[in-house]
Amino acid sequence: MEKTPALILAPLPDFLMQPLHSAHVCHDYFHAQDKAGLLAQVGAEIRSIVMNGGTVTPVALLEQLPKLEIMSVFGVGYDGVPVDWCQAHGIRVTNTPDVLTEDVADTASALVLMTSRRLIAANRFLHAGAWLKGAFPLAHALRGKLAGIVGLGRIGKAIAHRLEAHGMRIAYHGRSKQDVSWEYVGSLTALAQAVDFLVVACPGGADTKHLINAEVLAALGVKGTLINIARGSVVDEAALITALQHGTIRGAGLDVFENEPQVPEALLQCENAVLLPHLGSGTHETRAEMARLVVENLAAHFSGVALLTPVC
Ligand code: 8YV
Protein backbone atom coordinates (compact mmCIF):
# COMPACT_ATOMS: atom_id res chain seq x y z
CA MET A 1 0.00 0.00 0.00
CA GLU A 2 1.19 3.54 -0.73
CA LYS A 3 2.60 5.40 2.29
CA THR A 4 0.33 8.20 3.48
CA PRO A 5 1.65 11.49 4.96
CA ALA A 6 1.25 11.69 8.75
CA LEU A 7 1.90 14.57 11.15
CA ILE A 8 3.48 13.58 14.48
CA LEU A 9 2.41 16.00 17.22
CA ALA A 10 4.15 14.47 20.23
CA PRO A 11 7.42 12.80 21.22
CA LEU A 12 6.61 9.13 20.57
CA PRO A 13 8.68 6.04 21.45
CA ASP A 14 10.74 4.19 18.83
CA PHE A 15 8.59 1.07 19.07
CA LEU A 16 5.69 3.19 17.82
CA MET A 17 7.65 5.32 15.35
CA GLN A 18 9.14 2.28 13.58
CA PRO A 19 5.82 0.79 12.42
CA LEU A 20 4.53 4.30 11.69
CA HIS A 21 7.52 4.93 9.40
CA SER A 22 6.78 1.67 7.56
CA ALA A 23 3.24 2.69 6.66
CA HIS A 24 3.42 6.49 6.55
CA VAL A 25 5.65 9.36 5.54
CA CYS A 26 6.02 10.84 9.03
CA HIS A 27 6.56 14.58 9.51
CA ASP A 28 7.77 15.45 13.00
CA TYR A 29 5.83 18.59 13.93
CA PHE A 30 6.68 18.25 17.63
CA HIS A 31 10.44 18.53 17.13
CA ALA A 32 10.32 20.89 14.10
CA GLN A 33 12.09 24.23 14.73
CA ASP A 34 10.04 25.96 12.05
CA LYS A 35 6.55 24.61 12.65
CA ALA A 36 4.86 27.15 10.35
CA GLY A 37 7.36 26.32 7.61
CA LEU A 38 6.68 22.58 7.98
CA LEU A 39 2.93 23.17 7.74
CA ALA A 40 3.38 25.38 4.68
CA GLN A 41 5.44 22.63 3.08
CA VAL A 42 3.40 19.49 3.88
CA GLY A 43 0.14 20.64 5.56
CA ALA A 44 -1.94 20.33 2.39
CA GLU A 45 -1.02 16.62 2.03
CA ILE A 46 -1.34 15.37 5.63
CA ARG A 47 -3.95 12.61 6.03
CA SER A 48 -3.37 11.50 9.63
CA ILE A 49 -2.18 12.83 12.97
CA VAL A 50 -0.57 10.84 15.77
CA MET A 51 -0.35 12.35 19.26
CA ASN A 52 -0.22 11.62 22.99
CA GLY A 53 -3.12 11.55 25.40
CA GLY A 54 -2.41 15.03 26.68
CA THR A 55 -1.46 16.71 23.37
CA VAL A 56 -3.61 19.77 22.73
CA THR A 57 -4.52 20.15 19.06
CA PRO A 58 -6.03 23.57 18.36
CA VAL A 59 -8.64 23.89 15.62
CA ALA A 60 -6.40 26.56 14.04
CA LEU A 61 -3.82 23.81 13.38
CA LEU A 62 -6.36 21.33 12.02
CA GLU A 63 -7.73 23.97 9.65
CA GLN A 64 -4.36 23.96 7.89
CA LEU A 65 -4.71 20.25 7.08
CA PRO A 66 -7.44 20.09 4.42
CA LYS A 67 -6.87 16.38 3.66
CA LEU A 68 -6.82 15.24 7.31
CA GLU A 69 -8.87 12.06 7.76
CA ILE A 70 -7.94 10.58 11.11
CA MET A 71 -6.32 11.43 14.47
CA SER A 72 -4.89 8.47 16.35
CA VAL A 73 -4.24 9.18 20.03
CA PHE A 74 -1.53 7.21 21.86
CA GLY A 75 -3.49 7.29 25.12
CA VAL A 76 -6.98 6.75 26.48
CA GLY A 77 -7.58 10.44 27.21
CA TYR A 78 -8.46 12.55 24.19
CA ASP A 79 -9.22 15.80 26.02
CA GLY A 80 -6.74 17.58 23.73
CA VAL A 81 -8.79 16.74 20.63
CA PRO A 82 -11.65 19.05 19.54
CA VAL A 83 -13.95 16.05 19.03
CA ASP A 84 -17.07 18.04 18.06
CA TRP A 85 -15.09 19.87 15.36
CA CYS A 86 -13.65 16.57 14.10
CA GLN A 87 -17.11 15.01 13.97
CA ALA A 88 -18.48 18.02 12.08
CA HIS A 89 -15.62 17.75 9.55
CA GLY A 90 -15.78 13.98 9.11
CA ILE A 91 -12.41 13.38 10.81
CA ARG A 92 -12.16 10.08 12.67
CA VAL A 93 -10.55 9.92 16.14
CA THR A 94 -9.20 6.83 17.90
CA ASN A 95 -7.67 6.24 21.34
CA THR A 96 -6.22 3.31 23.32
CA PRO A 97 -8.76 2.29 25.99
CA ASP A 98 -8.71 -0.83 28.18
CA VAL A 99 -5.11 -1.89 27.55
CA LEU A 100 -3.82 0.63 30.13
CA THR A 101 -6.57 0.31 32.76
CA GLU A 102 -4.72 -2.11 35.05
CA ASP A 103 -1.42 -0.21 35.03
CA VAL A 104 -3.06 3.13 35.76
CA ALA A 105 -5.11 1.57 38.56
CA ASP A 106 -1.93 0.00 39.97
CA THR A 107 -0.32 3.45 39.95
CA ALA A 108 -3.27 4.99 41.82
CA SER A 109 -3.21 2.19 44.37
CA ALA A 110 0.56 2.63 44.79
CA LEU A 111 0.08 6.37 45.38
CA VAL A 112 -2.49 5.61 48.09
CA LEU A 113 -0.01 3.25 49.76
CA MET A 114 2.97 5.58 49.32
CA THR A 115 1.13 8.55 50.83
CA SER A 116 -0.58 6.69 53.71
CA ARG A 117 2.50 4.68 54.77
CA ARG A 118 4.96 7.45 53.80
CA LEU A 119 7.02 4.90 51.89
CA ILE A 120 9.02 7.42 49.83
CA ALA A 121 10.02 9.34 52.95
CA ALA A 122 10.88 6.02 54.65
CA ASN A 123 13.09 5.05 51.70
CA ARG A 124 14.88 8.42 51.86
CA PHE A 125 15.22 8.01 55.65
CA LEU A 126 17.04 4.70 55.30
CA HIS A 127 19.25 5.84 52.39
CA ALA A 128 20.29 8.83 54.51
CA GLY A 129 21.42 6.50 57.31
CA ALA A 130 18.79 7.90 59.72
CA TRP A 131 17.65 4.43 60.93
CA LEU A 132 20.85 4.15 62.98
CA LYS A 133 19.67 7.17 64.98
CA GLY A 134 16.09 6.03 65.59
CA ALA A 135 12.90 4.53 64.20
CA PHE A 136 10.88 5.98 61.31
CA PRO A 137 7.65 7.63 62.61
CA LEU A 138 4.40 5.64 62.51
CA ALA A 139 2.13 6.13 59.52
CA HIS A 140 -1.58 5.55 58.81
CA ALA A 141 -3.34 2.24 58.05
CA LEU A 142 -5.59 1.79 55.01
CA ARG A 143 -8.09 -0.73 56.39
CA GLY A 144 -11.43 0.77 57.27
CA LYS A 145 -10.61 4.08 55.57
CA LEU A 146 -12.95 5.58 52.98
CA ALA A 147 -11.82 6.29 49.42
CA GLY A 148 -13.91 8.54 47.17
CA ILE A 149 -13.45 7.92 43.46
CA VAL A 150 -14.17 10.93 41.25
CA GLY A 151 -15.16 9.44 37.87
CA LEU A 152 -16.16 5.78 38.10
CA GLY A 153 -15.22 4.69 34.59
CA ARG A 154 -13.13 1.67 33.67
CA ILE A 155 -10.06 3.00 35.46
CA GLY A 156 -12.05 4.28 38.45
CA LYS A 157 -13.62 0.84 38.94
CA ALA A 158 -10.25 -0.93 38.67
CA ILE A 159 -8.91 1.44 41.35
CA ALA A 160 -11.92 0.79 43.58
CA HIS A 161 -11.37 -3.00 43.40
CA ARG A 162 -7.72 -2.60 44.34
CA LEU A 163 -8.48 -0.32 47.29
CA GLU A 164 -11.16 -2.74 48.51
CA ALA A 165 -8.45 -5.40 48.56
CA HIS A 166 -6.61 -3.14 51.04
CA GLY A 167 -9.70 -3.23 53.28
CA MET A 168 -10.89 0.24 52.32
CA ARG A 169 -14.51 1.32 51.87
CA ILE A 170 -15.48 2.95 48.56
CA ALA A 171 -17.79 5.79 47.58
CA TYR A 172 -17.88 7.63 44.27
CA HIS A 173 -18.98 10.78 42.53
CA GLY A 174 -19.72 11.26 38.84
CA ARG A 175 -22.35 12.53 36.45
CA SER A 176 -24.77 9.75 37.43
CA LYS A 177 -25.36 6.88 39.84
CA GLN A 178 -24.28 3.53 38.46
CA ASP A 179 -25.45 -0.02 39.03
CA VAL A 180 -22.65 -0.87 41.49
CA SER A 181 -22.60 -1.71 45.19
CA TRP A 182 -20.50 1.34 46.15
CA GLU A 183 -22.20 4.43 47.57
CA TYR A 184 -22.93 7.25 45.13
CA VAL A 185 -22.45 10.77 46.47
CA GLY A 186 -24.08 13.42 44.27
CA SER A 187 -22.12 16.34 45.72
CA LEU A 188 -18.35 16.41 45.18
CA THR A 189 -17.87 18.61 48.25
CA ALA A 190 -19.87 16.19 50.40
CA LEU A 191 -17.74 13.30 49.08
CA ALA A 192 -14.53 15.21 49.85
CA GLN A 193 -15.81 15.95 53.37
CA ALA A 194 -16.51 12.25 54.03
CA VAL A 195 -13.40 10.56 52.63
CA ASP A 196 -9.83 9.90 53.72
CA PHE A 197 -8.63 9.66 50.09
CA LEU A 198 -10.13 11.55 47.17
CA VAL A 199 -9.01 9.75 44.00
CA VAL A 200 -9.38 11.63 40.71
CA ALA A 201 -10.04 9.27 37.77
CA CYS A 202 -12.31 11.32 35.50
CA PRO A 203 -11.52 12.57 31.97
CA GLY A 204 -9.78 15.93 31.51
CA GLY A 205 -11.05 18.76 29.32
CA ALA A 206 -13.23 21.84 29.69
CA ASP A 207 -16.03 20.03 31.57
CA THR A 208 -13.77 18.99 34.47
CA LYS A 209 -11.28 21.87 34.53
CA HIS A 210 -10.43 22.75 38.16
CA LEU A 211 -13.22 20.47 39.44
CA ILE A 212 -10.97 19.96 42.47
CA ASN A 213 -10.78 23.57 43.64
CA ALA A 214 -10.06 25.35 46.94
CA GLU A 215 -13.55 24.58 48.24
CA VAL A 216 -13.24 20.83 47.56
CA LEU A 217 -9.76 20.78 49.12
CA ALA A 218 -11.09 22.61 52.21
CA ALA A 219 -13.80 19.95 52.48
CA LEU A 220 -11.19 17.18 52.16
CA GLY A 221 -9.47 18.74 55.15
CA VAL A 222 -6.58 17.68 57.37
CA LYS A 223 -7.65 14.02 57.47
CA GLY A 224 -7.66 13.82 53.66
CA THR A 225 -5.24 12.99 50.86
CA LEU A 226 -5.74 13.84 47.19
CA ILE A 227 -4.69 11.29 44.55
CA ASN A 228 -4.68 12.27 40.85
CA ILE A 229 -3.90 9.84 38.03
CA ALA A 230 -6.30 11.50 35.54
CA ARG A 231 -5.32 14.90 34.17
CA GLY A 232 -3.56 17.83 35.80
CA SER A 233 -6.27 20.15 34.47
CA VAL A 234 -8.86 18.60 36.82
CA VAL A 235 -7.09 20.02 39.88
CA ASP A 236 -6.51 23.72 40.59
CA GLU A 237 -2.77 23.26 41.14
CA ALA A 238 -2.27 26.66 42.79
CA ALA A 239 -5.03 25.90 45.32
CA LEU A 240 -3.51 22.45 45.92
CA ILE A 241 -0.07 23.92 46.57
CA THR A 242 -1.56 26.36 49.10
CA ALA A 243 -3.41 23.49 50.85
CA LEU A 244 -0.23 21.38 50.97
CA GLN A 245 1.92 24.28 52.20
CA HIS A 246 -0.51 25.15 55.00
CA GLY A 247 -1.23 21.51 55.88
CA THR A 248 -4.97 22.03 55.39
CA ILE A 249 -4.99 18.62 53.66
CA ARG A 250 -2.81 15.73 54.80
CA GLY A 251 -1.07 15.12 51.51
CA ALA A 252 -1.24 14.40 47.81
CA GLY A 253 -0.14 11.66 45.43
CA LEU A 254 0.07 12.99 41.88
CA ASP A 255 0.97 11.38 38.55
CA VAL A 256 -0.29 14.29 36.44
CA PHE A 257 0.21 18.07 36.44
CA GLU A 258 -1.32 21.14 34.85
CA ASN A 259 1.63 22.01 32.63
CA GLU A 260 3.67 18.82 32.09
CA PRO A 261 6.59 18.36 32.23
CA GLN A 262 6.78 21.64 34.16
CA VAL A 263 5.99 21.11 37.83
CA PRO A 264 5.95 24.27 39.97
CA GLU A 265 8.97 24.59 42.27
CA ALA A 266 6.59 25.19 45.19
CA LEU A 267 5.00 21.78 44.60
CA LEU A 268 8.40 20.08 44.30
CA GLN A 269 9.20 21.52 47.74
CA CYS A 270 6.10 20.00 49.39
CA GLU A 271 7.28 17.13 51.61
CA ASN A 272 3.67 15.93 51.97
CA ALA A 273 3.33 15.26 48.22
CA VAL A 274 4.42 12.13 46.34
CA LEU A 275 5.05 13.16 42.73
CA LEU A 276 5.41 10.84 39.73
CA PRO A 277 6.33 11.87 36.15
CA HIS A 278 3.06 10.78 34.44
CA LEU A 279 3.96 7.09 34.38
CA GLY A 280 0.49 5.62 34.97
CA SER A 281 0.54 3.57 31.76
CA GLY A 282 4.33 3.47 31.58
CA THR A 283 5.16 -0.22 31.35
CA HIS A 284 6.74 -2.06 28.39
CA GLU A 285 3.70 -4.33 28.12
CA THR A 286 1.06 -1.62 28.15
CA ARG A 287 2.85 0.88 25.94
CA ALA A 288 3.38 -1.91 23.36
CA GLU A 289 -0.36 -2.61 23.36
CA MET A 290 -1.12 1.11 23.07
CA ALA A 291 1.30 1.41 20.13
CA ARG A 292 -0.33 -1.59 18.43
CA LEU A 293 -3.75 0.06 18.70
CA VAL A 294 -2.44 3.34 17.23
CA VAL A 295 -0.89 1.52 14.25
CA GLU A 296 -3.80 -0.87 13.69
CA ASN A 297 -6.41 1.89 13.87
CA LEU A 298 -4.56 3.81 11.16
CA ALA A 299 -4.14 0.66 9.06
CA ALA A 300 -7.85 -0.14 9.43
CA HIS A 301 -8.82 3.35 8.37
CA PHE A 302 -6.60 3.40 5.28
CA SER A 303 -7.78 -0.05 4.23
CA GLY A 304 -11.41 0.94 4.65
CA VAL A 305 -12.29 -1.48 7.44
CA ALA A 306 -13.83 -0.77 10.86
CA LEU A 307 -11.67 1.08 13.39
CA LEU A 308 -10.66 -0.97 16.44
CA THR A 309 -11.21 1.69 19.11
CA PRO A 310 -13.01 4.70 17.63
CA VAL A 311 -13.88 7.80 19.65
CA CYS A 312 -15.81 9.16 16.66
C1 8YV B 1 0.09 8.37 28.41
C2 8YV B 1 -2.27 9.16 29.05
O1 8YV B 1 1.08 8.75 29.31
O2 8YV B 1 -3.66 7.46 28.27
C3 8YV B 1 -3.55 8.65 28.52
O3 8YV B 1 -4.48 9.44 28.34
O4 8YV B 1 -2.18 10.28 29.42
C4 8YV B 1 -1.12 8.24 29.21
O5 8YV B 1 -1.46 6.91 29.18
C5 8YV B 1 0.29 9.15 27.18
O6 8YV B 1 -0.76 9.32 26.33
C6 8YV B 1 1.46 8.52 26.41
O7 8YV B 1 2.48 9.35 26.43
Side-chain angles (χ1 to χ4, degrees):
M1 212 193 300
E2 201 194 326
K3 289 189 181 189
T4 57
L7 200 62
I8 311 299
L9 293 193
L12 300 174
D14 283 348
F15 58 82
L16 172 54
M17 285 313 300
Q18 274 170 19
L20 286 178
H21 279 303
S22 308
H24 309 272
V25 180
C26 297
H27 298 283
D28 188 348
Y29 182 79
F30 180 81
H31 290 108
Q33 295 292 327
D34 180 8
K35 291 188 184 344
L38 178 66
L39 283 185
Q41 205 187 331
V42 302
E45 299 307 318
I46 294 296
R47 295 176 64 190
S48 64
I49 277 181
V50 185
M51 53 191 272
N52 271 335
T55 314
V56 176
T57 41
V59 166
L61 167 63
L62 302 181
E63 281 172 342
Q64 297 175 64
L65 312 174
K67 289 192 184 158
L68 183 65
E69 296 170 32
I70 181 166
M71 297 174 67
S72 191
V73 180
F74 181 57
V76 66
Y78 50 87
D79 41 298
V81 179
V83 175
D84 290 347
W85 189 91
C86 289
Q87 233 159 356
H89 291 78
I91 293 164
R92 308 298 309 271
V93 179
T94 65
N95 66 342
T96 65
D98 300 320
V99 295
L100 47 65
T101 299
E102 307 300 327
D103 276 353
V104 177
D106 285 347
T107 304
S109 163
L111 283 169
V112 170
L113 268 170
M114 288 191 285
T115 49
S116 60
R117 300 298 302 272
R118 301 196 54 230
L119 297 177
I120 302 290
N123 178 58
R124 269 202 303 264
F125 173 89
L126 186 47
H127 277 282
W131 198 13
L132 297 170
K133 296 177 208 139
F136 186 72
L138 299 182
H140 290 276
L142 290 184
R143 68 180 176 286
K145 299 286 161 56
L146 181 61
I149 313 287
V150 181
L152 196 70
R154 286 169 284 212
I155 294 174
K157 288 188 177 96
I159 295 170
H161 287 299
R162 279 159 175 74
L163 298 186
E164 273 192 322
H166 289 296
M168 297 180 76
R169 296 171 296 121
I170 307 294
Y172 69 98
H173 169 80
R175 273 173 310 197
S176 51
K177 187 171 168 3
Q178 300 189 37
D179 188 15
V180 291
S181 59
W182 302 309
E183 187 196 347
Y184 176 68
V185 181
S187 149
L188 177 55
T189 313
L191 182 72
Q193 218 147 28
V195 299
D196 302 287
F197 288 86
L198 193 64
V199 183
V200 182
C202 61
D207 291 350
T208 57
K209 187 167 165 63
H210 290 187
L211 192 65
I212 309 296
N213 56 19
E215 184 195 330
V216 173
L217 293 169
L220 185 58
V222 290
K223 49 68 180 154
T225 300
L226 181 76
I227 305 292
N228 188 7
I229 48 76
R231 278 288 180 267
S233 60
V234 184
V235 175
D236 180 343
E237 208 160 45
L240 175 62
I241 291 169
T242 304
L244 288 167
Q245 284 173 333
H246 292 88
T248 55
I249 64 170
R250 175 177 288 162
L254 310 172
D255 186 42
V256 288
F257 304 89
E258 277 204 85
N259 186 27
E260 295 173 10
Q262 309 292 331
V263 177
E265 185 57 33
L267 186 51
L268 296 176
Q269 296 302 327
C270 289
E271 280 294 321
N272 47 358
V274 172
L275 310 175
L276 303 178
H278 198 151
L279 50 66
S281 67
T283 65
H284 294 290
E285 295 85 350
T286 294
R287 289 283 167 86
E289 281 296 287
M290 292 164 65
R292 180 184 60 77
L293 282 174
V294 167
V295 171
E296 290 185 5
N297 272 308
L298 290 171
H301 173 77
F302 287 112
S303 8
V305 301
L307 300 177
L308 285 80
T309 48
V311 171
C312 72

